[in-house]
Amino acid sequence: MRDEDMSVDQLLTELHSLLGDETSAEEASSEPAAEAAEQTELVEQNEPIEPFEQEEPTPTEEDWAYLALKPNLHTQDPPTSGDAPEPEEMPGPEDTEVGLPQPPSRGRRVLRILARCGIVLVETALLGALGLYCLLYVVAKGPSTTASELFVLSVRETNAVRFLADVFFTEEEIAAIQSKAAVPDYVAETDTSLIQIPTDPDDGSDSDDGTQTPVADAWGLIDEDGDGIILETVNGEGYTGYMMVVLDPSRVIMGSVPYSYGGRGYTVEQMCGVFDAVAGINAGGFYDPNGLGDGSTPDAMVVFEGEIYYADSGTRKGFVGLDSNSILHVFSSVTVSQIRANDIQYGVSFGPVLVANGEACDVGSSGLNPRTAIGQRSDGAILLLVIDGRQVLSIGATWQDLVDIMLDYGAVNACNLDGGSSSLMWYNGEYVNNCASVVGIRPVPTTFVVLKED
């Protein structure tokens, strides 16, 4: 069909079609611009734009297995098959930093340190106990019979550790060893004529300026400071000790507080304070169950200022006393009538007798322990002896060692006193020797003290 042949109606329809397509294209092209303009207008009006929300993916079992290897990244248990984990509430900034391990509190750190120290101490104690047991086993059950017997005798002489003998030996074996150490009785009376106390002792020679120059006595000892007391260090095989020589025997008495018997004991220092004394040593034994006694009760006869106490308790292995003339008497056993017949004013029980009338006594066998003893020379001078023991440099002494020391210092009569953890000498405000007690200085009911010079 030709154009001129088209009717008016057809031309109008075609024109309208052309104009409609153009309008649609313009509208389509204008939509993005309109949307941009709308967004710009919202931004200019400070209206909030909703953020793009994206759905959080659900962790898989492989993800939870990985997180299990990183303990500080997540603390929630992995979910079971088919269960989705509930989101854990994370701590806020005020609580902690996300993902960083927090240090333990101060209290927990202290507890950890204390726990570790306690473990170390326990292990050290156990190792020490094991080592000590092995050492004791070698000594007690080793090839040396002498060492075994010495071990039994040493521990049996003390109340605190006498049970150690039962750990390694039977009662029959212990009884057999102790039977060899039996001390025979000494029955002779003390010969007082062997003691001659000078009435006018020689204090020294006069020098040109009128002062006294100390001179050595018959035993080679010199009172350097002129206080009437000579202190000597004593050394022997395996022990160290001290010998105090009191030149005036009248200055020595048995220090005790009878009204305190059964109530309280006194340390050597305290007893010296009671009697205003310058020196002192421990003396007789006392009731001491398992090494836990309070030192208040004598376990055998005691004489104080002529009065007799605990006469029914016997005298153990011996008795030593001073009469009214300051002469020392020794007995392996004694009765009340003998005490009065010999005018004993001060005395204690223990023993055994070491030297009698200038002769060494048979003291049998004994262990190695701290020791205390008293003796008297022929000129009346009193000998006070202590031996340190249970220490690295001084294991202790036997009774025979005490006999030898007393004879070396000229003893005519001498007797062993209570030893062990009670052995102490006090002089001029301090203890001379070392205390062997692990619980400190022990109180005792009786002492020998040295009074001040008149």
Coordinates of all heavy atoms in Angstrom, one line a residue, residues 253-322:
I253 N 76.6 -25.1 145.0 CA 75.5 -25.8 145.7 C 74.6 -26.4 144.6 O 74.7 -26.1 143.4 CB 74.7 -24.8 146.6 CG1 74.0 -23.7 145.7 CG2 75.6 -24.1 147.6 CD1 73.0 -22.8 146.4
M254 N 73.7 -27.2 145.1 CA 72.7 -27.8 144.2 C 71.5 -26.8 144.2 O 70.8 -26.5 145.2 CB 72.2 -29.1 144.7 CG 71.4 -29.9 143.6 SD 69.6 -29.5 143.6 CE 69.1 -30.5 145.1
G255 N 71.3 -26.2 143.0 CA 70.2 -25.2 142.8 C 68.9 -25.9 142.5 O 68.8 -26.6 141.5
S256 N 67.9 -25.6 143.3 CA 66.6 -26.3 143.0 C 65.5 -25.4 143.8 O 65.8 -24.7 144.7 CB 66.6 -27.7 143.5 OG 65.4 -28.4 143.1
V257 N 64.2 -25.6 143.4 CA 63.1 -25.0 144.0 C 62.1 -26.0 144.4 O 61.2 -26.3 143.6 CB 62.5 -23.9 143.1 CG1 61.4 -23.1 143.8 CG2 63.6 -23.0 142.5
P258 N 62.2 -26.7 145.5 CA 61.4 -27.8 145.9 C 59.9 -27.5 145.9 O 59.1 -28.4 145.5 CB 61.9 -28.2 147.3 CG 63.3 -27.7 147.3 CD 63.3 -26.4 146.5
Y259 N 59.5 -26.3 146.2 CA 58.0 -26.1 146.2 C 57.5 -26.0 144.8 O 56.2 -26.1 144.6 CB 57.7 -24.8 147.0 CG 58.2 -23.5 146.3 CD1 57.6 -22.9 145.2 CD2 59.4 -22.9 146.8 CE1 58.1 -21.7 144.7 CE2 59.8 -21.7 146.3 CZ 59.2 -21.1 145.2 OH 59.7 -20.0 144.6
S260 N 58.3 -26.0 143.8 CA 57.9 -26.1 142.4 C 57.8 -27.5 141.8 O 57.4 -27.7 140.7 CB 58.7 -25.2 141.5 OG 58.6 -23.8 141.8
Y261 N 58.3 -28.5 142.6 CA 58.3 -29.8 142.1 C 56.9 -30.2 141.7 O 55.9 -30.1 142.4 CB 58.8 -30.8 143.2 CG 60.3 -30.7 143.5 CD1 60.8 -31.2 144.6 CD2 61.1 -30.0 142.6 CE1 62.2 -31.2 144.9 CE2 62.5 -29.9 142.9 CZ 63.0 -30.5 144.1 OH 64.3 -30.4 144.4
G262 N 56.8 -30.8 140.5 CA 55.5 -31.2 140.0 C 54.7 -30.1 139.3 O 53.6 -30.3 138.8
G263 N 55.2 -28.8 139.5 CA 54.5 -27.7 138.9 C 55.2 -27.1 137.7 O 54.6 -26.9 136.7
R264 N 56.4 -26.8 137.9 CA 57.2 -26.2 136.8 C 58.7 -26.4 137.0 O 59.2 -26.7 138.1 CB 57.0 -24.7 136.7 CG 57.5 -23.9 137.9 CD 57.7 -22.4 137.6 NE 58.9 -22.2 136.8 CZ 59.4 -21.0 136.5 NH1 58.8 -19.9 137.0 NH2 60.4 -20.9 135.7
G265 N 59.4 -26.5 135.9 CA 60.8 -26.6 135.9 C 61.5 -25.2 135.6 O 60.8 -24.3 135.2
Y266 N 62.8 -25.2 135.6 CA 63.5 -24.0 135.4 C 64.7 -24.3 134.4 O 65.3 -25.3 134.6 CB 64.1 -23.4 136.7 CG 63.1 -22.9 137.7 CD1 62.4 -23.9 138.5 CD2 62.8 -21.6 137.9 CE1 61.5 -23.4 139.4 CE2 61.9 -21.2 138.8 CZ 61.2 -22.1 139.6 OH 60.3 -21.7 140.5
T267 N 64.9 -23.4 133.5 CA 66.1 -23.6 132.7 C 67.4 -23.3 133.6 O 67.2 -22.7 134.7 CB 66.2 -22.6 131.5 OG1 66.2 -21.2 132.0 CG2 64.9 -22.8 130.6
V268 N 68.5 -23.7 133.1 CA 69.8 -23.4 133.9 C 69.9 -21.9 134.1 O 70.3 -21.5 135.2 CB 71.0 -24.0 133.2 CG1 72.3 -23.7 133.9 CG2 70.8 -25.5 133.0
E269 N 69.7 -21.1 133.1 CA 69.8 -19.7 133.2 C 68.8 -19.2 134.3 O 69.2 -18.3 135.1 CB 69.5 -19.0 131.9 CG 69.5 -17.5 131.9 CD 69.2 -16.9 130.6 OE1 68.9 -17.6 129.7 OE2 69.2 -15.6 130.5
Q270 N 67.6 -19.6 134.3 CA 66.6 -19.2 135.2 C 67.0 -19.6 136.6 O 66.8 -18.8 137.6 CB 65.2 -19.8 134.9 CG 64.6 -19.2 133.6 CD 63.3 -19.9 133.2 OE1 63.1 -21.1 133.6 NE2 62.5 -19.3 132.4
M271 N 67.5 -20.8 136.8 CA 67.9 -21.2 138.1 C 69.1 -20.4 138.7 O 69.1 -20.1 139.9 CB 68.3 -22.7 138.1 CG 68.3 -23.4 139.5 SD 66.6 -23.6 140.1 CE 66.1 -25.1 139.3
C272 N 70.0 -20.0 137.8 CA 71.1 -19.1 138.2 C 70.5 -17.8 138.6 O 71.0 -17.2 139.6 CB 72.1 -18.9 137.0 SG 73.1 -20.4 136.7
G273 N 69.5 -17.3 138.0 CA 68.8 -16.1 138.4 C 68.2 -16.2 139.7 O 68.2 -15.3 140.5
V274 N 67.6 -17.3 140.0 CA 66.9 -17.6 141.3 C 68.0 -17.4 142.5 O 67.7 -16.9 143.5 CB 66.2 -18.9 141.4 CG1 65.8 -19.3 142.8 CG2 65.1 -19.0 140.4
F275 N 69.2 -18.0 142.2 CA 70.2 -18.0 143.3 C 71.3 -16.9 143.1 O 72.3 -17.0 143.8 CB 70.9 -19.4 143.3 CG 70.0 -20.5 143.8 CD1 69.1 -21.2 143.0 CD2 69.9 -20.8 145.2 CE1 68.3 -22.2 143.4 CE2 69.0 -21.7 145.7 CZ 68.2 -22.5 144.8
D276 N 71.0 -16.0 142.2 CA 72.0 -14.9 141.9 C 73.4 -15.5 141.7 O 74.4 -15.0 142.2 CB 72.0 -14.0 143.1 CG 72.7 -12.6 142.7 OD1 72.7 -12.3 141.5 OD2 73.2 -12.0 143.6
A277 N 73.4 -16.6 140.9 CA 74.7 -17.3 140.6 C 75.3 -16.8 139.3 O 74.6 -16.2 138.4 CB 74.4 -18.8 140.5
V278 N 76.6 -17.0 139.2 CA 77.3 -16.6 138.0 C 77.5 -17.7 137.0 O 77.8 -17.4 135.8 CB 78.7 -16.0 138.4 CG1 78.6 -14.8 139.2 CG2 79.6 -17.0 139.1
A279 N 77.3 -18.9 137.4 CA 77.4 -20.0 136.5 C 76.6 -21.2 137.0 O 76.1 -21.2 138.1 CB 78.9 -20.5 136.4
G280 N 76.3 -22.2 136.1 CA 75.6 -23.3 136.5 C 75.5 -24.4 135.4 O 75.8 -24.1 134.2
I281 N 75.2 -25.6 135.8 CA 75.0 -26.7 134.8 C 73.7 -27.5 135.2 O 73.3 -27.3 136.4 CB 76.2 -27.7 134.8 CG1 76.4 -28.3 136.2 CG2 77.4 -27.0 134.3 CD1 77.4 -29.4 136.2
N282 N 73.2 -28.3 134.3 CA 72.1 -29.1 134.7 C 72.6 -30.2 135.6 O 73.8 -30.5 135.7 CB 71.4 -29.7 133.5 CG 72.3 -30.6 132.7 OD1 73.3 -30.2 132.1 ND2 72.0 -31.9 132.7
A283 N 71.7 -30.9 136.3 CA 72.1 -31.9 137.3 C 71.4 -33.2 137.2 O 71.7 -34.0 136.3 CB 72.0 -31.3 138.7
G284 N 70.4 -33.5 138.0 CA 69.8 -34.8 138.1 C 68.7 -35.0 137.0 O 68.3 -34.1 136.3
G285 N 68.2 -36.3 136.9 CA 67.2 -36.6 136.0 C 65.8 -36.2 136.4 O 65.6 -35.7 137.5
F286 N 64.9 -36.3 135.5 CA 63.5 -35.9 135.8 C 62.5 -36.7 135.0 O 62.9 -37.4 134.0 CB 63.3 -34.4 135.5 CG 63.6 -34.0 134.1 CD1 62.7 -33.9 133.1 CD2 64.9 -33.6 133.8 CE1 63.0 -33.5 131.8 CE2 65.3 -33.2 132.6 CZ 64.3 -33.1 131.6
Y287 N 61.3 -36.7 135.4 CA 60.2 -37.5 134.7 C 60.1 -36.9 133.4 O 59.7 -35.7 133.2 CB 59.0 -37.4 135.5 CG 57.8 -38.2 135.0 CD1 57.9 -39.6 134.8 CD2 56.7 -37.5 134.5 CE1 56.8 -40.3 134.3 CE2 55.6 -38.3 134.0 CZ 55.7 -39.6 133.9 OH 54.7 -40.3 133.3
D288 N 60.3 -37.7 132.3 CA 60.3 -37.2 130.9 C 59.8 -38.3 130.0 O 60.5 -38.8 129.2 CB 61.8 -36.9 130.6 CG 61.9 -36.1 129.3 OD1 60.9 -35.4 128.9 OD2 63.0 -36.3 128.6
P289 N 58.5 -38.5 130.0 CA 57.9 -39.5 129.1 C 58.0 -39.1 127.7 O 57.5 -38.1 127.3 CB 56.4 -39.6 129.6 CG 56.2 -38.3 130.3 CD 57.4 -37.9 130.9
N290 N 58.6 -40.0 126.9 CA 58.8 -39.8 125.4 C 59.5 -38.5 125.1 O 59.2 -37.9 124.0 CB 57.4 -39.8 124.7 CG 56.7 -41.2 124.9 OD1 57.4 -42.2 124.8 ND2 55.4 -41.1 125.2
G291 N 60.3 -38.0 126.0 CA 61.0 -36.7 125.8 C 60.1 -35.5 125.8 O 60.5 -34.4 125.4
L292 N 58.9 -35.6 126.4 CA 58.0 -34.5 126.5 C 57.7 -33.9 127.9 O 56.7 -33.2 128.1 CB 56.6 -34.9 125.9 CG 56.7 -35.5 124.4 CD1 55.3 -36.0 124.0 CD2 57.2 -34.4 123.5
G293 N 58.6 -34.3 128.8 CA 58.4 -33.8 130.2 C 58.6 -32.3 130.3 O 59.3 -31.7 129.5
D294 N 58.0 -31.7 131.4 CA 58.2 -30.3 131.6 C 59.3 -29.9 132.5 O 59.4 -28.8 132.9 CB 56.8 -29.7 132.1 CG 56.4 -30.3 133.4 OD1 57.1 -31.1 134.0 OD2 55.3 -30.0 133.9
G295 N 60.1 -30.9 133.0 CA 61.2 -30.6 133.8 C 60.9 -30.2 135.2 O 61.7 -29.6 135.9
S296 N 59.7 -30.6 135.7 CA 59.3 -30.1 137.0 C 59.5 -31.2 138.1 O 59.5 -30.9 139.3 CB 57.9 -29.7 137.0 OG 57.0 -30.7 136.7
T297 N 59.6 -32.5 137.7 CA 59.5 -33.6 138.7 C 60.8 -34.4 138.7 O 61.0 -35.1 137.6 CB 58.3 -34.4 138.4 OG1 57.1 -33.6 138.4 CG2 58.1 -35.5 139.5
P298 N 61.6 -34.4 139.7 CA 62.7 -35.3 139.7 C 62.3 -36.8 139.7 O 61.2 -37.1 140.2 CB 63.4 -35.0 141.1 CG 62.9 -33.6 141.4 CD 61.5 -33.5 140.9
D299 N 63.0 -37.6 139.0 CA 62.7 -39.0 138.9 C 63.4 -39.9 139.9 O 63.3 -41.1 139.9 CB 62.9 -39.5 137.5 CG 64.4 -39.5 137.1 OD1 65.2 -39.0 137.9 OD2 64.7 -39.9 136.0
A300 N 64.2 -39.3 140.8 CA 64.9 -40.1 141.9 C 65.2 -39.2 143.0 O 64.8 -38.0 143.0 CB 66.1 -40.7 141.3
M301 N 65.9 -39.7 144.0 CA 66.2 -39.0 145.3 C 66.9 -37.6 145.0 O 67.8 -37.6 144.2 CB 67.0 -39.8 146.2 CG 67.2 -39.2 147.6 SD 68.3 -40.2 148.6 CE 67.3 -41.6 148.9
V302 N 66.5 -36.6 145.7 CA 67.1 -35.3 145.7 C 67.2 -34.8 147.1 O 66.4 -35.1 148.0 CB 66.2 -34.3 144.9 CG1 66.7 -32.9 145.1 CG2 66.1 -34.7 143.5
V303 N 68.4 -34.1 147.4 CA 68.6 -33.5 148.7 C 68.9 -32.0 148.5 O 69.8 -31.7 147.7 CB 69.8 -34.2 149.4 CG1 70.0 -33.5 150.8 CG2 69.6 -35.7 149.6
F304 N 68.1 -31.2 149.2 CA 68.3 -29.8 149.1 C 68.3 -29.2 150.5 O 67.3 -29.3 151.2 CB 67.2 -29.2 148.2 CG 67.3 -27.7 148.1 CD1 68.2 -27.1 147.3 CD2 66.4 -26.8 148.8 CE1 68.4 -25.7 147.1 CE2 66.5 -25.4 148.7 CZ 67.5 -24.9 147.8
E305 N 69.4 -28.5 150.8 CA 69.5 -27.9 152.2 C 69.2 -28.9 153.3 O 68.6 -28.6 154.3 CB 68.7 -26.7 152.3 CG 69.1 -25.6 151.3 CD 68.3 -24.3 151.5 OE1 67.2 -24.4 152.2 OE2 68.7 -23.2 151.0
G306 N 69.7 -30.2 153.1 CA 69.6 -31.2 154.1 C 68.3 -31.9 154.1 O 68.1 -33.0 154.7
E307 N 67.3 -31.5 153.3 CA 66.0 -32.1 153.2 C 66.0 -33.1 152.1 O 66.5 -32.8 151.0 CB 64.9 -31.1 153.0 CG 64.7 -30.1 154.2 CD 64.1 -30.8 155.4 OE1 63.4 -31.8 155.3 OE2 64.5 -30.4 156.5
I308 N 65.4 -34.3 152.3 CA 65.4 -35.4 151.3 C 64.0 -35.4 150.7 O 63.0 -35.4 151.3 CB 65.7 -36.7 152.0 CG1 67.0 -36.7 152.7 CG2 65.6 -37.8 151.0 CD1 67.4 -37.9 153.5
Y309 N 64.0 -35.5 149.3 CA 62.8 -35.5 148.5 C 62.9 -36.8 147.6 O 64.0 -37.1 147.1 CB 62.7 -34.3 147.6 CG 62.6 -33.0 148.4 CD1 63.8 -32.3 148.8 CD2 61.4 -32.4 148.8 CE1 63.7 -31.1 149.5 CE2 61.3 -31.3 149.6 CZ 62.5 -30.6 149.9 OH 62.4 -29.4 150.6
Y310 N 61.7 -37.4 147.4 CA 61.6 -38.5 146.5 C 62.5 -39.7 146.9 O 63.1 -40.4 146.1 CB 61.9 -38.1 145.0 CG 61.0 -37.1 144.5 CD1 61.3 -35.7 144.5 CD2 59.7 -37.4 143.9 CE1 60.4 -34.7 144.1 CE2 58.9 -36.5 143.4 CZ 59.2 -35.1 143.5 OH 58.3 -34.2 143.0
A311 N 62.6 -39.9 148.2 CA 63.4 -41.0 148.7 C 62.9 -42.4 148.2 O 63.8 -43.3 148.0 CB 63.4 -41.0 150.2
D312 N 61.7 -42.5 148.0 CA 61.1 -43.8 147.5 C 61.4 -44.1 146.1 O 61.2 -45.2 145.6 CB 59.6 -43.9 147.8 CG 59.3 -43.8 149.2 OD1 60.1 -44.2 150.1 OD2 58.1 -43.4 149.6
S313 N 61.9 -43.1 145.3 CA 62.2 -43.3 143.9 C 63.6 -43.9 143.6 O 63.9 -44.1 142.4 CB 62.0 -42.0 143.2 OG 60.7 -41.5 143.3
G314 N 64.4 -44.1 144.6 CA 65.7 -44.7 144.4 C 66.7 -43.7 143.9 O 66.5 -42.5 144.0
T315 N 67.8 -44.2 143.4 CA 68.9 -43.4 143.0 C 69.4 -43.7 141.5 O 70.6 -43.3 141.2 CB 70.1 -43.5 143.9 OG1 70.5 -44.9 144.0 CG2 69.7 -43.0 145.3
R316 N 68.7 -44.4 140.7 CA 69.1 -44.7 139.4 C 70.4 -45.5 139.4 O 70.6 -46.4 140.2 CB 69.1 -43.5 138.5 CG 67.7 -42.9 138.3 CD 67.8 -41.7 137.4 NE 68.3 -41.9 136.1 CZ 67.6 -41.8 135.0 NH1 66.3 -41.5 135.0 NH2 68.1 -42.1 133.8
K317 N 71.4 -45.0 138.6 CA 72.8 -45.7 138.6 C 73.8 -45.1 139.6 O 74.9 -45.6 139.7 CB 73.3 -45.6 137.2 CG 72.6 -46.4 136.1 CD 73.4 -46.3 134.8 CE 72.8 -47.3 133.8 NZ 71.4 -46.8 133.4
G318 N 73.4 -44.0 140.3 CA 74.3 -43.4 141.2 C 73.8 -42.2 141.9 O 72.7 -41.7 141.5
F319 N 74.5 -41.7 142.9 CA 74.1 -40.5 143.6 C 75.4 -39.7 143.9 O 76.4 -40.3 144.2 CB 73.4 -40.9 144.9 CG 72.9 -39.7 145.7 CD1 71.7 -39.2 145.5 CD2 73.7 -39.1 146.7 CE1 71.2 -38.1 146.2 CE2 73.3 -38.0 147.4 CZ 72.0 -37.5 147.2
V320 N 75.3 -38.4 143.8 CA 76.4 -37.5 144.1 C 75.9 -36.4 145.0 O 74.8 -35.8 144.7 CB 77.1 -37.0 142.8 CG1 76.1 -36.2 141.9 CG2 78.3 -36.1 143.1
G321 N 76.7 -36.0 146.0 CA 76.2 -35.0 146.9 C 77.4 -34.3 147.6 O 78.5 -34.8 147.7
L322 N 77.1 -33.0 148.1 CA 78.1 -32.2 148.8 C 77.7 -32.2 150.2 O 76.5 -31.9 150.6 CB 78.1 -30.8 148.2 CG 78.7 -30.6 146.8 CD1 78.3 -29.3 146.2 CD2 80.2 -30.7 146.9

